[in-house]
Amino acid sequence: MERRKALSRIGLSLGYAAAAPTLFSILQSCQTEENKTTWNPIFFDEKQAVVIDKITELILPKTDLPGAAELNIPKFIDLSFAELLSDEEKATIRKGCVEATSILEKDSFTTEACDKLLNTYFNAPKEKQEDYLNSINKGTFNNPEVLVYNFLNKVRGNTIWAYKNSEYIGEKVLVYDPVPGPFQGCINWDNKLGYSL
């Protein structure tokens, strides 16, 4: 009788040992990691990728249309910065991103902190924004505020451009006609233009 109990307990303990890692992984997968990305950054590091995710989602949030994150806009920005910018532009963008990341890291990269950062620069007085743009046009990036403004401005511009040119928006939202118009072979231009050529 004792052997049967011992064998059943050994079987149960082996079953628990085999099932424990699976159960722990299921529990861990239920936890959301707010400051993690779902993609592997190439140009940015992990913290900077979180900043890009949050900023693009604030610029184009999900409504009845998909947001920036759903259309992989942060991943596109990361890849386009890595592949399309010159070395000088890459260095400037990285410096601005480092400055922005250090500002947001104080508040644990919260959405509110990202929103405050965007408001600080994009809702700044007109004169201050003109000073930022003049410094950027001259190529003088000695002020950290200019670096951050340049970074945020590039991210905003690329976010909007990538969103408008994404496949989903182009085919489902904008007027999409794969063939731009009907073929009209012989046209009498005199009647179309109102005067003779």
Side-chain angles (χ1 to χ4, degrees):
M1 221 34 190
E2 293 295 320
R3 275 191 286 172
R4 287 184 183 168
K5 285 183 182 178
L7 286 174
S8 69
R9 288 182 181 163
I10 288 173
L12 285 174
S13 65
L14 288 175
Y16 291 142
T22 305
L23 293 174
F24 284 128
S25 67
I26 290 171
L27 289 175
Q28 286 178 345
S29 68
C30 292
Q31 297 174 352
T32 58
E33 295 186 34
E34 191 171 316
N35 290 335
K36 289 283 186 183
T37 59
T38 58
W39 49 280
N40 294 325
I42 296 170
F43 181 75
F44 298 107
D45 65 23
E46 191 67 34
K47 286 180 182 177
Q48 294 168 346
V50 170
V51 171
I52 295 295
D53 275 344
K54 300 245 179 179
I55 288 174
T56 56
E57 196 59 31
L58 279 171
I59 293 171
L60 292 169
K62 179 181 178 176
T63 56
D64 54 337
L65 296 173
E70 287 181 69
L71 296 177
N72 293 322
I73 304 296
K75 187 176 180 181
F76 171 80
I77 289 173
D78 178 65
L79 185 62
S80 68
F81 282 2
E83 297 292 326
L84 302 177
L85 296 181
S86 68
D87 291 337
E88 184 180 316
E89 289 174 315
K90 286 179 185 179
T92 305
I93 293 293
R94 278 200 176 103
K95 287 178 187 174
C97 189
V98 166
E99 291 291 332
T101 304
S102 66
I103 293 168
L104 295 173
E105 197 168 21
K106 296 172 188 170
D107 295 321
S108 302
F109 304 108
T110 61
T111 304
E112 293 79 21
C114 291
D115 192 33
K116 182 179 175 187
L117 181 72
L118 289 173
N119 284 329
T120 300
Y121 286 93
F122 292 141
N123 291 334
K126 183 179 179 182
E127 298 81 26
K128 196 164 192 173
Q129 288 191 30
E130 286 176 357
D131 289 343
Y132 292 151
L133 290 172
N134 288 334
S135 296
I136 291 168
N137 289 336
K138 291 176 186 173
T140 55
F141 297 100
N142 49 8
N143 184 352
E145 288 184 351
V146 174
L147 287 168
V148 173
Y149 183 82
N150 181 51
F151 164 69
L152 293 174
N153 203 24
K154 291 271 190 197
V155 169
R156 177 178 62 175
N158 281 307
T159 299
I160 295 168
W161 184 86
Y163 190 80
K164 289 190 314 186
N165 291 299
S166 68
E167 182 179 0
Y168 179 86
I169 298 299
E171 290 182 0
K172 306 269 193 263
V173 177
L174 299 175
V175 178
Y176 176 69
D177 188 7
V179 179
F183 176 73
Q184 297 175 355
C186 295
I187 300 173
N188 186 354
W189 285 103
D190 291 340
N191 294 340
K192 290 281 185 183
L193 298 175
Y195 58 88
S196 179
L197 291 176

